[in-house]
Amino acid sequence: MTFDDHVRAALDELPPELAAALTNVAVVVEEENPDDPDLFGLYHGVPLPERGDMTGMHPDKISIYRVPLEESFPDTQELRDEIRITVLHELAHYFGLDEDRIAELGYK
């Protein structure tokens, strides 16, 4: 599987009710974050609970960064697991969870 396939698989494995709740958000693979090259992922946007009408707004974006993940996890299964964790972590931000709550749930 390619890196992109692992990201797609993480999204495909979401429970249907969670996947159905994803609106106005794009998940993209990028090489690395220019401001923090060690970052695995980043949510850019307005968390769902804080949104108003959002008419005419650009989609939120979740960036999953290929280079730091591949460099940190050379084992294929570990890479797959960490991509899944990173996707879930950034989706948690989309749903309005802060870092403390995400850590309580076990998604770093």
Side-chain angles (χ1 to χ4, degrees):
M1 285 181 89
T2 68
F3 189 93
D4 290 11
D5 291 337
H6 288 303
V7 172
R8 249 188 303 301
L11 292 167
D12 289 345
E13 293 167 3
L14 292 173
E17 58 277 358
L18 188 63
L22 297 175
T23 57
N24 205 37
V25 61
V27 178
V28 299
V29 173
E30 298 179 22
E31 291 305 302
E32 64 185 4
N33 183 296
D35 297 324
D36 186 352
D38 295 327
L39 200 61
F40 292 163
L42 185 63
Y43 168 67
H44 318 261
V46 178
L48 203 54
E50 298 173 21
R51 291 183 184 193
D53 180 334
M54 299 295 287
T55 302
M57 298 295 293
H58 293 287
D60 289 356
K61 181 170 88 169
I62 292 174
S63 299
I64 306 298
Y65 298 115
R66 179 190 326 270
V67 171
L69 280 160
E70 287 182 338
E71 287 178 351
S72 298
F73 302 95
D75 176 78
T76 303
Q77 186 58 48
E78 287 180 4
L79 176 62
R80 183 185 194 293
D81 292 345
E82 192 60 37
I83 289 170
R84 181 179 178 277
I85 289 168
T86 302
V87 168
L88 293 173
H89 180 108
E90 300 311 327
L91 286 173
H93 287 305
Y94 166 81
F95 285 110
L97 279 64
D98 64 17
E99 291 294 334
D100 291 338
R101 182 66 179 127
I102 293 170
E104 287 173 14
L105 295 172
Y107 295 106
K108 300 181 190 176

